Amino acid sequence: MDGGLIAVAVRAEHDRAVLAGLLGRDPVLHAYQLGDLDDFFWPYTSWFRRGDQVVLLYHGVELPTLLAFAAPDRVPDLAGLLAEAAPVLPARMWAHLSPGLEAAVGRWFVVSEAAAHHRMALTDPGRLAAVRAVGEPLGPADAAELAGLYAVAYPGNWFDPRMLDTGQYVGVRERGRLVAVAGVHVFSPRWRVAALGNVTTHPDVRGRGLGAGVVAALCARLRASVDHVTLNVRADNAAAVRLYERLGFSRVAGFTECALTSAAAAAAG
């Protein structure tokens, strides 16, 4: 990647039990990574470890995604792991990075499209009782209809139709039209974690509480099989943050979502 860089041997980790033990120390911070240990995602993952620090490269999307999270006092250790892994990482990636890691990866990559995000977790599930849960389970047969709703209400979102196989998508129909949905990006009963995603409401019916209703219904389903329900939300999406806080979610960590391009690839355009 850089002609003046001395390559350091990268320690790839292939033992799921080892990874689960390390990530499970903070299952909320590492919910997405724990979920990716499942057979459903495992073939699309590459893992790097140094000591008790872990980095995940997920290949199951068009642009590989790097997940690098650490508690604030361990960010320097994780930066060291990224320094070792950098020479073998793709030239173009999307990344989720704990605060402070942008500077570390900036030695090898051009950072762009950066946006601050919150990791939130359901810490007060009692609040869900104050919301009228609505919606019916959705499955693979609803994929085309869901894609149509996302095209109108949530363009540019990341939706993996395979996640409908989990049975953890809930939707509301009015006059035969799907108008609200809440789903998951990660669902792992084995590792007892879930991450909400692909939550949206058709513009024609916004303001009626349907978004809160489908999230409440989905959380009730998820809590039957997982201990930790989490989600990611842009820090500047004040309306969504308020909604999730009303439903019992709390902000537990911050991170930066950004694009990474190697200096050579950036120069080549």
Side-chain angles (χ1 to χ4, degrees):
M1 186 175 302
D2 181 343
L5 182 68
I6 299 175
V8 178
V10 175
R11 303 174 186 177
E13 182 59 70
H14 305 289
D15 189 326
R16 275 190 267 195
V18 169
L19 291 167
L22 295 171
L23 299 169
R25 296 176 182 180
D26 192 339
V28 170
L29 183 63
H30 299 300
Y32 281 75
Q33 291 145 299
L34 280 167
D36 287 342
L37 294 175
D38 275 349
D39 291 344
F40 193 81
F41 296 108
W42 178 257
Y44 305 100
T45 62
S46 296
W47 302 84
F48 307 103
R49 179 171 76 91
R50 188 172 80 164
D52 62 356
Q53 297 301 300
V54 175
V55 167
L56 163 64
L57 183 66
Y58 182 69
H59 310 275
V61 287
E62 182 177 353
L63 193 65
T65 300
L66 181 74
L67 301 182
F69 297 115
D73 63 328
R74 300 305 306 277
V75 165
D77 297 322
L78 190 55
L81 171 55
L82 286 171
E84 292 185 7
V88 298
L89 293 175
R92 300 181 189 276
M93 298 177 289
W94 198 247
H96 297 182
L97 306 172
S98 283
L101 289 177
E102 304 99 313
V105 299
R107 294 177 58 191
W108 298 278
F109 294 91
V110 175
V111 179
S112 61
E113 302 179 53
H117 282 67
H118 298 308
R119 169 67 50 80
M120 303 186 75
L122 184 61
T123 55
D124 187 3
R127 293 191 183 185
L128 295 170
V131 177
R132 186 173 72 91
V134 295
E136 62 189 56
L138 304 177
D142 302 299
E145 192 175 7
L146 258 178
L149 174 60
Y150 290 136
V152 173
Y154 196 179
N157 75 310
W158 178 71
F159 170 54
D160 183 347
R162 297 183 311 146
M163 293 307 295
L164 290 168
D165 294 333
T166 65
Q168 302 301 328
Y169 271 70
V170 173
V172 172
R173 286 187 172 86
E174 290 190 348
R175 295 185 293 277
R177 180 179 65 155
L178 189 63
V179 295
V181 64
V184 291
H185 284 157
V186 165
F187 171 65
S188 175
R190 179 178 182 182
W191 309 113
R192 309 293 295 178
V193 296
L196 302 188
N198 294 312
V199 178
T200 196
T201 304
H202 195 285
D204 293 346
V205 298
R206 287 176 182 165
R208 291 170 41 192
L210 293 180
V214 290
V215 170
L218 178 57
C219 286
R221 293 175 62 86
L222 292 170
R223 292 183 65 234
S225 52
V226 306
D227 298 324
H228 304 285
V229 180
T230 69
L231 60 90
N232 293 339
V233 61
R234 279 183 65 118
D236 60 4
N237 190 345
V241 172
R242 285 196 300 270
L243 167 65
Y244 291 126
E245 289 178 335
R246 181 162 64 88
L247 292 171
F249 286 81
S250 299
R251 287 171 271 184
V252 296
F255 68 94
T256 299
E257 200 171 292
C258 59
L260 301 180
T261 307
S262 71

